[in-house]
Each structure stands twice: as C-alpha cells, then as structure tokens.
Amino acid sequence: MIREFKKIGKIYVFGMLWLLGLIWPMVGIHKDGSLSFGRAFTIWSYIVVGTFACLLLYLLNKSGYLDKATKPMGRVRDDLVAKARAVPVWIWTLVALAAALIYPLFTARYAHDVAIQVLIYISLGLGLNIVVGLAGLLDLGYIAFYGVGAYTYALLSVHYGMSFWLCLPVAAVLASVAGCLIGYPTLRMRGDYLAIVTLGFGEIVRLILNNWMSLTNGPNGILGIKPPGIYVPSFEGGFHFEHIYLKKLYFLYYIALAIAVVTIVAVRRLNFSRIGRAWESIREDETAAELMGVNTFMLKLLAYAMGAVFAGLAGAFFAARMRFVSPESFTFLESAMVLSMVVLGGMGSIPGIILGCAALIVLPEVFREFELYRMLVFGAAMTVMMIFRPAGLIPAKRVGTRSEEKEG
Amino acid sequence: MAAEPILELQNVHASYGNIKALKGVSLKVYPGEIVAIIGANGAGKSTTLMTICGIVAVDEGDILYQGRSITKVAAEKLPVMGLCQVPEGRRIFPRLTVHENLELGAFYRRDREGIEKDMQRVYELFPVLKERKRQQGGTLSGGEQQMLAIGRALMSRPKVLLMDEPSLGLAPLIVQKIFDIIHEVNQKEGTTILLVEQNANLALQAAQRGYVLETGRVTMEDEAEKLLHNAEIRKAYLGE
Ligand SMILES: Nc1ncnc2c1ncn2[C@@H]1O[C@H](COP(=O)(O)OP(=O)(O)O)[C@@H](O)[C@H]1O
Ligand SMILES: [Mg+2]
C-alpha cells in the first residue's frame, strides 16, 4: 500500500500542481484584467479532495483491502451480465423501443425537448459513422449536410408551403447531392488533407447560408417554418380529411423517434452488407481494396452521399421542430460535437454511438449549473475517456461481424 | 510453349510525378508459366506490377492481357478479368477477420456456392487460416499474413497471379512453405504466375523464365535455369 502510494503519489502531486496552474488563469482572470486566486483555489481544492478520495479507494482496492466488499459485488455483476447476455438481442431491442415509445407519457415537456435533441443527434452520429467509422474518411464539415437539409425544408415550407413529409425525401436527396459535390473533389485526398478540405467545405456552406441574403435571409435566419402536419378523417360537414399541424412536442418526439429508428435500421443493414464490407476494406487499405476489385471511387462517393442522407433527414426535422433556422446552428463546433459523439460512443458501434449522443446531450443538461465550465469538463471527460477507453463507451465488437454471425 | 502470351508489356513507361520509375519495360508471360522478375531494391519491380494492375498510370507503351489492351482499364475491373495481385508487404485488411479478408478477395463474384468451395480450398491449402478464421488479420504472424494475402488473391480465381516479394521478412521454413504453395497453385490449377523477388535464388528456382530489371529497364531475359548459372547474375544478385 505504502509502496504503491509512493509510486503514484509523485505523479499525482505533479498532476495536481499542473492542474492548478491550468485552472488559475482560466478562472482567475477577470474581464477588467485583474487577477484573483481565491476562486481558482477553491475549485482546485474540491478537485483535489475528490480525486484524492478516488485515489485512496483505488489503492485500497488494488492492495486487496476492499476484497470483502468487491468480491461478492463482482460476482453479482458477472451474474447480471451473464443473464443479460442470455436474453437475445432482439428482446433488448424491443424493450428499448417500448421504453422509447412510452417515454413521453411519463415525462415533462423539458424532457421531451432533450430527448428530441438526442434523437436528432443519433441520426447525425450514425450518418457520420458511415463516412468516418466505416469508410474511414475523416469529415470535419459534416454539419453542412444537416444545414442543407434544414434550409431545404425551411425554404420549401416558407415559399411554397410544401408539406414536411414531401420535403423530407427532397431534403435527403439534396443533402446527398451536396455530399457528392463536396465528396467528389476530395476523393483523391487522404488523411489530414481530407480533414482540412472537408473542414473548409463545411465553412463554405455556412458562409453561403450566411451571405446569400436574397435566398436565406442571411444571419437573421428564416422564420415561420411550418411544423409537420397530418390529415385526419373528419365527419363534420360531410366526410373529408382535415389537415392539422403537429405542434405538440410529443408528436414531434415520435417523428424524431421514427427518423432515428429508420436511421438505425438503415445503417445496421448497410453495416452488414456487401457495401459495408467494401467500405471497411477502403478504410483498412485503399490500394489493396482496389486490387481486390472494389470500386473505391464510387464507394467513397456513396459513403459521402449516404452519410449526408441521414444528416439531411435530421436537418429537415430540425427546421420543422424549431420553426426557425439560421446559419448559427451549423458551425464547425457542431461538426466537432457530432464527431465527438461518434468517437466517444465507439466508432462503428451503433449502440455505442447512441449512448455517446445521449451522454453528450444529457450530461450537459444535467450539469446546467456549471454552464461556465461545460467545455472545460467536456474536454477533461473526453481526454479521460480516450485514455481509459480508447475504443469508445461501447466498442464495436469488430467493426463488422457479419460472416461470423451468419454461421453462428 | 503456347504461341500467344497471356500477359504482355510493350515498352511501358511509368512515373511518380517527376521520378521516372519505368523506362521502357517489355516482357511476355505465357499461359501456365511461372515467370520471375528479379532486380535490386528500387529497380521498379513493384511499380511494374502496380502498373499492370492499373494503380500506377502508364505514361507510354501498352499492356496486353489475353490479346486486349488493359492500359486504360480501371483497376477494379481487372480481378473480374482474372488478374489479381498479392501486393508487397501483404497489405491484408488488419481489422477485418481472416474470413472477411478472404471474402473480400471474392468481392466481385456473386456465385455463393463457388465462393464457398474456393473458401474451403484456401482453408485446405492453409489450415492455419482456418484455425484463425475469426481472428483479426492484423493479429496474425508475418507468415500467416502472407498466406492470408495469397489466399485472398486466390479467392478471386485468378488466371494470372502477380506476386510481389512473397518471401519478404519471413523465416526460411515459412518461405519454403509459401513457395510450395505457389508451385501447387501453378501445377494443379494452371494459374499463371508472375513472381517478383529480391531473393533471386529462390525466384529463379521456382520459375521457368526470368527477367532482370535495373533502374526501370529490362537488362536481361532468359530461361530461369540459365540466369541461375549466369556469372554476372550470380555476382550481382546471388552474392558471389
Ligand atoms: N509512391 C512512390 N512515390 C514516389 N516514388 C516512388 C513511389 N514508389 C516507388 N517509387 C520510386 O520508384 C522507383 C521504383 O520503385 P519500386 O517499383 O518500388 O522498386 P522495387 O519494387 O524494385 O524495389 C524507386 O526509385 C522508388 O523510389
Ligand atoms: Mg518492391
């Protein structure tokens, strides 16, 4: 115990001093340029106490003092895991779906709002996963397709009064066209270059939205977008179908859920298809893939297009839900956010990405009081995650396990 | 020897930007042969194979396959035509399983039963791959990866198999095994093989004919047996 502590203690002390040096300017510098120490020190001391407690627990556990408590608990956990494994995956899926379906009945408006956001990001995350996780093309401008989808519906709704349901496929198609347009010139690039160029394209799309006043109304955005509507049969004054708008939040929740479910099913199917495997081969070794007869050019383009489709769907829904769009919603930070969700959750793992989206949306909501330090905590959490679980919260079993599954 | 070469390079030039890698390579491969290309590091051996496979563009000259020019044919169409390569350094797909690597070899094919049969055949040739079929390719040893790379290429049912330094970095015992397989594939299935090797001794023993490549040019061509006993070759490539 003592020896272990000596080993870790030094690193710990240095780490904490370094953290103090980091927090102090971040918290201690005031707008008027003056410096103070007290506040930074208070926060720091909380962190020290907290982490020291964790460290002590860790050391106690490691040297076996806690075995009496952990052993039976570990057994219980293993038991639970084994039991959970015994239940087929489709039952879990059904349970999750049922929970999602009855969720609005037991929750309040605010919770609906958060859930809708999570569902939107699930579509985005899974779409981006096709490009980044499967085809291995780092895309830092992904949010541009979300923007294309959103503006497609916004403009069609405001100018032509087109229905949401009609615009949904239109938004998907236009987003995928944008995907091809942006994807095409970048196809010959690899790695870092690709990342930079996609970043640039993402910004270009945002700047166009921002500056094309006559079409997009620039930074002021577009107001008065209609929510999705449905026709319901009505018998008043003769039988006819009445058109009503779904303004209630829980209606929107179900639409978001439907879009997310469609995305999950589609991405899963793609994942386990011939095309999915070809994408993976491109990710692993593009030249070798080409030598094996994979049309890398078309498949990379297809990856961009398919990824953009889901962003387009999510975007159209976003516009219908907010009833307002402006370029501000489509900044690089959003792209980075979606990418973080994918990486945090586990690249290539559908349940992982769902969890990643939920975590990165819900946790900041829960810790709203710490609004100011959100990004700081966010960064710290990501760093810790990448150290301890580099493959994500729920790592992909193997990015594709198709052949084995078929046999098993 | 059959009259028509199955693969022929006519005065092929190729380059990487400003660097001229091939400066007029001409060679012929006849059906059923094993032909060796030997040469020092950087002579242009790999580039020759990559040019045949359409990965590196031809600047000048022509490549004929079964009498047709394939100079302008896209790389991904060549496996369909029966031309497949085992690239230098194996280049398997490291995070895909052994089984999936093999399936990708048969990517263009749609005949499920045929694929299944060929899969069994590859597993017979390389029993160690069958044992490891659910393992990720990247976790295999060097020799196993080479076997996987060969198996993957065989899954495309090649008529002409191009092999780039299959002995690279492998223990002598494994090298022997790999060359036995090369022989078997050539003998049993009549697959034509174009073999690139730095290890001239091995390559010339396995091949019927050989070409010597130096700085992008063919400087010598002859029967493998004769090259093996050529004093110059022995001095330059066999370390005598
Ligand atoms: N990707 C590349 N970019 C630039 N030059 C290359 C590239 N690959 C090979 N070369 C050059 O082309 C020449 C031939 O290389 P290569 O065909 O790999 O030789 P070998 O396989 O006989 O060792 C060398 O001079 C090498 O430096
Ligand atoms: Mg080489």
Side-chain angles (χ1 to χ4, degrees):
Chain A
M1 166 95 188
I2 300 298
R3 220 184 28 203
E4 298 232 20
F5 183 75
K6 270 189 187 146
K7 227 168 35 188
I8 291 187
K10 208 159 102 186
I11 305 172
Y12 177 72
V13 168
F14 274 115
M16 278 301 136
L17 286 177
W18 172 76
L19 185 69
L20 179 62
L22 211 86
I23 291 180
W24 182 37
M26 271 196 241
V27 182
I29 300 179
H30 300 287
K31 276 200 188 117
D32 55 9
S34 64
L35 264 170
S36 71
F37 195 69
R39 195 166 154 67
F41 197 74
T42 317
I43 294 179
W44 182 73
S45 58
Y46 286 155
I47 297 178
V48 168
V49 170
T51 49
F52 190 74
C54 291
L55 184 71
L56 266 183
L57 268 178
Y58 169 79
L59 285 175
L60 280 172
N61 184 24
K62 219 173 165 196
S63 34
Y65 286 106
L66 299 181
D67 275 2
K68 274 202 194 95
T70 52
K71 277 259 169 69
M73 263 155 69
R75 225 174 296 136
V76 169
R77 194 195 55 197
D78 290 347
D79 241 33
L80 278 178
V81 169
K83 285 209 182 97
R85 287 260 162 79
V87 180
V89 175
W90 64 267
I91 291 188
W92 284 122
T93 316
L94 277 186
V95 170
L97 194 64
L101 281 175
I102 58 172
Y103 172 82
L105 304 181
F106 299 100
T107 46
R109 205 188 136 77
Y110 168 66
H112 298 175
D113 210 28
V114 175
I116 288 175
Q117 265 201 50
V118 171
L119 291 170
I120 291 179
Y121 277 99
I122 286 175
S123 292
L124 284 173
L126 290 176
L128 182 61
N129 179 52
I130 293 177
V131 185
V132 179
L134 281 181
L137 306 161
L138 185 52
D139 186 349
L140 295 182
Y142 183 66
I143 213 70
F145 310 131
Y146 184 53
V148 169
Y151 269 85
T152 303
Y153 176 55
L155 291 171
L156 289 177
S157 167
V158 168
H159 292 309
Y160 301 102
M162 271 172 75
S163 120
F164 173 72
W165 305 105
L166 211 60
C167 292
L168 207 51
V170 177
V173 169
L174 283 187
S176 73
V177 169
C180 291
L181 287 181
I182 290 177
Y184 182 79
T186 62
L187 283 181
R188 292 188 188 287
M189 294 171 203
R190 295 183 187 191
D192 340 4
Y193 301 106
L194 183 67
I196 298 296
V197 172
T198 51
L199 176 72
F201 272 118
E203 281 304 287
I204 288 174
V205 170
R206 192 181 63 81
L207 286 174
I208 291 176
L209 295 179
N210 210 20
N211 293 313
W212 193 349
M213 289 301 288
S214 58
L215 183 73
T216 65
N217 199 22
N220 303 330
I222 299 175
L223 269 166
I225 303 166
K226 296 268 182 305
I230 49 165
Y231 287 96
V232 287
S234 160
F235 299 99
E236 283 165 41
F239 181 79
H240 68 284
F241 285 95
E242 196 180 354
H243 185 256
I244 57 165
Y245 285 115
L246 303 173
K247 289 187 183 163
K248 285 268 188 319
L249 207 51
Y250 60 85
F251 279 131
L252 291 169
Y253 168 82
Y254 283 117
I255 296 174
L257 184 63
I259 292 176
V261 167
V262 165
T263 309
I264 291 170
V265 171
V267 168
R268 198 186 143 76
R269 292 207 61 118
L270 276 174
N271 215 336
F272 290 80
S273 71
R274 213 173 100 87
I275 291 175
R277 185 160 333 168
W279 279 333
E280 285 184 291
S281 74
I282 293 171
R283 180 194 67 206
E284 297 292 299
D285 188 327
E286 198 173 330
T287 305
E290 214 163 332
L291 286 174
M292 293 304 124
V294 175
N295 189 339
T296 54
F297 186 84
M298 287 307 291
L299 277 160
K300 279 158 76 176
L301 208 55
L302 187 65
Y304 273 115
M306 290 307 297
V309 161
F310 298 111
L313 291 178
F317 174 78
F318 173 75
R321 187 249 167 286
M322 302 310 285
R323 293 198 248 151
F324 167 72
V325 289
S326 78
E328 238 171 86
S329 311
F330 312 108
T331 55
F332 168 67
L333 202 62
E334 287 292 304
S335 285
M337 195 72 182
V338 180
L339 189 63
S340 309
M341 289 168 179
V342 174
V343 174
L344 178 80
M347 221 183 264
S349 147
I350 294 177
I353 291 169
I354 293 174
L355 190 64
C357 294
L360 286 194
I361 298 289
V362 175
L363 290 184
E365 293 295 332
V366 173
F367 295 109
R368 262 213 180 276
E369 293 122 76
F370 309 106
E371 182 79 41
L372 269 173
Y373 307 107
R374 231 154 109 168
M375 284 327 264
L376 184 64
V377 172
F378 181 75
M382 285 301 273
T383 315
V384 170
M385 270 296 301
M386 288 299 105
I387 292 171
F388 289 107
R389 293 200 73 117
L393 287 170
I394 306 181
K397 261 191 211 132
R398 246 264 318 95
V399 174
T401 32
R402 293 157 293 254
S403 38
E404 291 95 310
E405 280 197 344
K406 247 182 273 157
E407 279 163 37
Chain B
M1 192 138 294
E4 281 289 308
I6 188 165
L7 181 67
E8 182 175 1
L9 272 66
Q10 297 174 341
N11 189 33
V12 168
H13 293 244
S15 53
Y16 299 98
N18 290 329
I19 306 165
K20 289 224 164 298
L22 302 184
K23 304 162 190 165
V25 173
S26 299
L27 58 84
K28 287 178 184 169
V29 182
Y30 293 93
E33 267 191 316
I34 299 184
V35 173
I37 301 179
I38 59 174
N41 218 339
K45 307 181 297 293
S46 300
T47 307
T48 306
L49 295 196
M50 285 301 179
T51 317
I52 296 172
C53 285
I55 304 287
V56 175
V58 176
D59 294 339
E60 200 188 314
D62 210 358
I63 301 172
L64 302 175
Y65 174 70
Q66 295 182 316
R68 276 179 53 200
S69 169
I70 54 164
T71 313
K72 297 241 150 51
V73 175
E76 71 268 4
K77 301 229 170 72
L78 294 172
V80 188
M81 299 167 70
L83 201 65
C84 200
Q85 184 183 160
V86 182
E88 182 174 6
R90 341 199 205 285
R91 303 189 81 150
I92 52 148
F93 305 117
R95 280 182 292 176
L96 300 187
T97 63
V98 167
H99 198 77
E100 286 171 336
N101 265 279
L102 292 177
E103 282 181 322
L104 268 160
F107 182 73
Y108 78 86
R109 293 169 59 182
R110 301 282 190 163
D111 55 323
R112 261 164 196 278
E113 279 147 43
I115 292 173
E116 194 43 46
K117 233 177 83 196
D118 288 357
M119 193 76 79
Q120 292 317 318
R121 159 131 185 79
V122 169
Y123 283 144
E124 267 165 44
L125 277 177
F126 306 107
V128 63
L129 293 186
K130 186 165 190 176
E131 283 165 35
R132 309 210 182 284
K133 74 196 250 189
R134 281 149 203 234
Q135 215 166 306
Q136 291 188 16
T139 63
L140 300 183
S141 73
E144 289 162 353
Q145 288 192 12
Q146 186 65 58
M147 294 176 195
L148 180 56
I150 295 173
R152 184 180 65 179
L154 289 178
M155 288 302 296
S156 75
R157 279 212 185 144
K159 295 194 184 87
V160 177
L161 186 59
L162 312 173
M163 304 184 92
D164 199 344
E165 308 218 22
S167 77
L168 193 72
L170 299 184
L173 215 64
I174 309 279
V175 171
Q176 194 49 53
K177 214 164 147 187
I178 299 253
F179 271 78
D180 287 347
I181 298 282
I182 294 175
H183 243 282
E184 190 179 333
V185 169
N186 174 255
Q187 292 294 314
K188 276 206 186 142
E189 280 158 45
T191 307
T192 310
I193 292 171
L194 180 57
L195 179 67
V196 160
E197 264 297 342
Q198 260 195 75
N199 187 334
N201 203 1
L202 260 172
L204 291 175
Q205 273 170 15
Q208 280 108 52
R209 291 189 309 115
Y211 290 83
V212 179
L213 213 57
E214 270 172 41
T215 58
R217 286 192 185 85
V218 173
T219 52
M220 218 184 285
E221 63 167 293
D222 209 335
E223 280 165 33
E225 190 72 12
K226 286 188 186 150
L227 287 177
L228 207 48
H229 295 109
N230 182 309
E232 249 177 86
I233 301 271
R234 294 198 73 84
K235 214 169 130 200
Y237 299 107
L238 301 174
E240 283 179 15

